[in-house]
């Protein structure tokens, strides 16, 4: 593995357009330096985004060396850039143009959804085979002993894990704390859950929840302050920084996953849901165009549009927990086992080779 040297931090202090140009030139130089100079490669497979300057640089290299460029489309760079800039901004326009031109010039292509395959074909004339993401083998169900061992380990730094018992529902959400994930939707849903518990406190069959939120990003502190203000009694929050080997176990130790990823293009699928499914964890995911290719509402998870629907899903899932006759629990478990039967290697061999 050859790592490209990070762009110096001082570049971010330059005017945005100049910083973009300097960053691109830096990445072009070190990307070319990381590639073989004398040996010949038959194929170069690149996952995008980031597409710029990656696609033009690799196209140039492949042209000179006589290699074939294969692009694995996971999203569009220009739609991600448009989260921070207006769609009409010159940087967005140039990025989209370069992405289209050099995407068309690749020898072959894969993409992660049927919706993206249709979009690439219709708008850019790019034929891309659909290669759905699959979870690595480390994302698997775990035993109750493994769960207890993880919670004991985490409780040394996050004491709230020591309070989890068999009657505590564990909800997990992985987030990058960015603009394409409105974490306020989950907070509003949990406030409604708290209100439902308090409304019929004597007869309520809703359990207390521990909400585990993993990841880091620019909006994390903003939402942590909002969480502190809420002061919920029946919902506790914890935002642990997990080691790589603990993350899959954390997912497998939860009772329900929540995904707030909406996709900048509407055409990709959240890898976090794929990982959760690999762990046998049912997911409630916010609706967007291509989501139905992964999350089948009522079969392996639930799809929601707003905090009201999400709160209803959470209340339904944890009613009577842990001894529940909820039909969804059994159906989802069986369907997720079928999902896990097709691993990454088998999927790659079937589609890509």
């Amino acid at each position: 593995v050859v790592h490209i040297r990070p762009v110096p931090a001082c570049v971010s202090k330059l005017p945005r357009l100049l910083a973009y140009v300097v960053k691109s030139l830096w990445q072009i130089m070190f990307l070319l330096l990381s590639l073989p100079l004398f040996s010949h490669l038959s194929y170069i497979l690149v996952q995008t985004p980031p597409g710029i300057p990656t696609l033009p640089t690799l196209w140039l290299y492949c042209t000179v060396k006589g290699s074939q460029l294969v692009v694995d489309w996971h999203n569009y760079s220009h739609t991600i850039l448009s989260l921070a800039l207006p769609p009409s901004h010159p940087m967005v326009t140039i990025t989209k143009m370069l992405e289209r031109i050099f995407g068309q010039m690749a020898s072959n292509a894969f993409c992660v959804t049927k919706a993206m395959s249709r979009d690439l074909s219709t708008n850019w004339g790019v034929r891309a085979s659909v290669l759905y993401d699959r979870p690595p083998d480390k994302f698997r169900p775990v035993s109750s002993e493994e769960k207890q061992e993880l919670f004991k380990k985490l409780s040394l730094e996050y004491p709230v894990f020591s309070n989890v018992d068999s009657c505590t529902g564990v909800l997990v959400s992985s987030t990058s704390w960015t603009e394409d994930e409105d974490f306020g939707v989950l907070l509003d849903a949990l406030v409604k859950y708290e209100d439902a518990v308090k409304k019929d406190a004597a007869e309520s069959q809703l359990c207390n929840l521990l909400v585990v939120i993993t990841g880091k990003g620019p909006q994390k502190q903003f939402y942590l302050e909002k969480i502190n203000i809420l002061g919920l009694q029946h919902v506790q929050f914890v935002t642990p920084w997990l080691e790589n080997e603990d993350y899959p176990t954390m997912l497998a130790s939860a009772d329900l996953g929540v995904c707030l990823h909406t996709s900048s293009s509407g055409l990709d699928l959240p890898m976090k849901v794929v990982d959760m499914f690999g762990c046998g964890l049912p997911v409630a995911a916010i609706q967007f165009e291509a989501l139905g290719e992964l999350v089948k509402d009522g079969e392996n998870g639930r799809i929601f549009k707003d905090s009201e629907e999400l709160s209803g899903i959470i209340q339904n899932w944890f009613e009577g927990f842990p001894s529940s006759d909820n039909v969804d629990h059994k159906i989802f478990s069986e369907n997720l086992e079928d999902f896990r039967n097709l691993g990454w290697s088998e999927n790659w061999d079937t589609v890509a080779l």
Side-chain angles (χ1 to χ4, degrees), residues 237-250:
F237 294 86
V238 61
T239 57
W241 178 250
L242 299 173
E243 298 176 7
N244 289 337
E245 63 269 23
D246 290 337
Y247 176 64
T249 308
M250 184 68 254

Side-chain angles (χ1 to χ4, degrees), residues 152-172:
K152 182 178 180 181
K153 173 183 176 181
L154 293 177
S155 67
L156 298 176
E157 187 171 354
Y158 308 98
V160 68
F161 281 101
S162 62
N163 299 328
V164 176
D165 57 29
S166 60
C167 296
T168 305
V170 179
L171 185 151
V172 67

